[in-house]
Amino acid sequence: MEKDWWQITEFAEEISKTLQEKFNDPKAGVHYNTVDKWFKALEAKRIHYIHRAAGEKVYDKQDLYIGCFIAEARRDNRYRLDVIYENIPKNLEVRPFPEEFKDETSVSLDESLIQRRIMDGLNKYLAQEFSVYEEKMQLQINKMVSEGVRNSVEQLLPAPLSKEEERAKRMDDAITRMRIEMQLEDLAIQAWEKLPDSERMKKVGFFRKEEDLAKRDTFIRSFKKENLNKVLEEAFSLE
């Protein structure tokens, strides 16, 4: 069934097809933007009205005759558009305008004034709201920066120990110290035993020698005293 109404894209294609058949020229045609401008101008000049359906312009056979008339007259730019528009009512049937019609560019002075006042009020309100929002955002940013610095410092510092952790640490330190003292005592004994007999032994009577225990104890105490602090520092620095 042949279609008898079109929207702007199909309508422009229908005009192009009509021109191609009439002039036997496959390159003859017109872009839909150009057609749209023609019919907007006809409405603005109150020459011809375009039907609407659901707010969209729809074109029928009557519009097709007018579109082909303009396109044919515009071939090779033979006639100016204003001359063509003036001749349309003289040669073709045009559609009258409904009483309530307002073209796409017509807005009354009162409506423009109302719209301008609404926009001014809206812009003022938005400016105030943005200022308040900007101030709140700045306060929030300052708070975040402050908290971030504080958190960074807290992260760099060791976490405070609980009572249980302190008790456990003291016990660990005591065990470590005791283990180091025992190791030092073993080292001291080894060092003592490497000394010559003349330093380790003492005479008992004319023919017998025995280990000088008092001297041995003094040697071990001195060895531990000389090395304990150094070994403790090294041990705790590795924790």
Side-chain angles (χ1 to χ4, degrees):
M1 185 174 65
E2 186 179 359
K3 194 170 183 179
D4 56 2
W5 64 270
W6 308 271
Q7 289 186 306
I8 184 62
T9 304
E10 297 174 323
F11 181 57
E13 292 175 355
E14 197 68 23
I15 294 173
S16 297
K17 185 170 68 173
T18 302
L19 291 176
Q20 291 167 6
E21 292 175 354
K22 183 174 182 178
F23 296 102
N24 193 25
D25 182 2
K27 295 183 179 180
V30 62
H31 195 272
Y32 68 87
N33 283 337
T34 302
V35 176
D36 185 50
K37 290 178 182 178
W38 292 346
F39 282 86
K40 281 182 178 178
L42 291 177
E43 283 196 336
K45 294 176 180 292
R46 293 279 174 161
I47 296 173
H48 178 72
Y49 173 72
I50 310 302
H51 284 307
R52 266 76 166 172
E56 295 290 333
K57 292 179 181 179
V58 290
Y59 303 83
D60 59 13
K61 289 284 188 181
Q62 185 178 357
D63 302 308
L64 180 61
Y65 298 145
I66 294 174
C68 290
F69 179 85
I70 299 173
E72 186 174 343
R74 285 292 291 170
R75 277 176 64 85
D76 303 322
N77 294 320
R78 289 183 298 169
Y79 298 99
R80 299 197 317 271
L81 281 173
D82 57 341
V83 174
I84 298 172
Y85 295 153
E86 290 175 2
N87 280 272
I88 287 175
K90 300 174 185 178
N91 295 278
L92 298 169
E93 182 181 353
V94 294
R95 186 178 298 116
F97 288 79
E99 293 182 1
E100 69 278 7
F101 174 76
K102 287 183 179 179
D103 64 51
E104 297 176 357
T105 60
S106 63
V107 180
S108 69
L109 178 62
D110 291 341
E111 290 175 341
S112 298
L113 181 60
I114 292 171
Q115 289 180 0
R116 188 161 58 251
R117 287 178 178 175
I118 291 173
M119 290 305 299
D120 289 344
L122 180 61
N123 289 335
K124 184 177 180 180
Y125 170 77
L126 291 176
Q128 292 174 346
E129 287 296 307
F130 180 77
S131 178
V132 173
Y133 172 78
E134 191 177 30
E135 184 177 350
K136 289 181 178 179
M137 283 299 297
Q138 188 61 50
L139 291 174
Q140 186 68 18
I141 290 171
N142 292 340
K143 181 180 178 182
M144 290 172 64
V145 171
S146 177
E147 290 178 352
V149 172
R150 184 168 63 253
N151 291 337
S152 298
V153 172
E154 290 175 354
Q155 289 174 2
L156 293 174
L157 295 175
L161 300 177
S162 63
K163 290 182 179 180
E164 290 77 10
E165 290 173 333
E166 288 180 356
R167 190 180 302 112
K169 187 176 186 304
R170 286 197 299 270
M171 185 176 296
D172 289 342
D173 291 347
I175 292 173
T176 299
R177 183 184 181 93
M178 183 174 63
R179 184 171 63 249
I180 290 172
E181 288 182 354
M182 290 174 63
Q183 291 174 349
L184 283 175
E185 187 166 344
D186 289 341
L187 291 174
I189 293 172
Q190 293 175 19
W192 167 260
E193 290 177 348
K194 290 179 180 179
L195 294 175
D197 291 347
S198 59
E199 294 186 22
R200 291 189 303 109
M201 309 298 285
K202 68 177 181 178
K203 287 183 179 182
V204 180
F206 291 101
F207 303 104
R208 189 167 61 90
K209 291 183 178 180
E210 64 180 22
E211 188 175 26
D212 191 338
L213 297 179
K215 190 176 181 180
R216 176 178 180 273
D217 291 341
T218 301
F219 178 87
I220 292 174
R221 284 197 302 271
S222 299
F223 185 92
K224 289 169 63 177
K225 183 177 180 181
E226 291 174 1
N227 295 280
L228 181 61
N229 289 336
K230 180 181 179 181
V231 175
L232 286 175
E233 287 178 2
E234 291 177 354
F236 286 115
S237 66
L238 296 175
E239 294 184 353

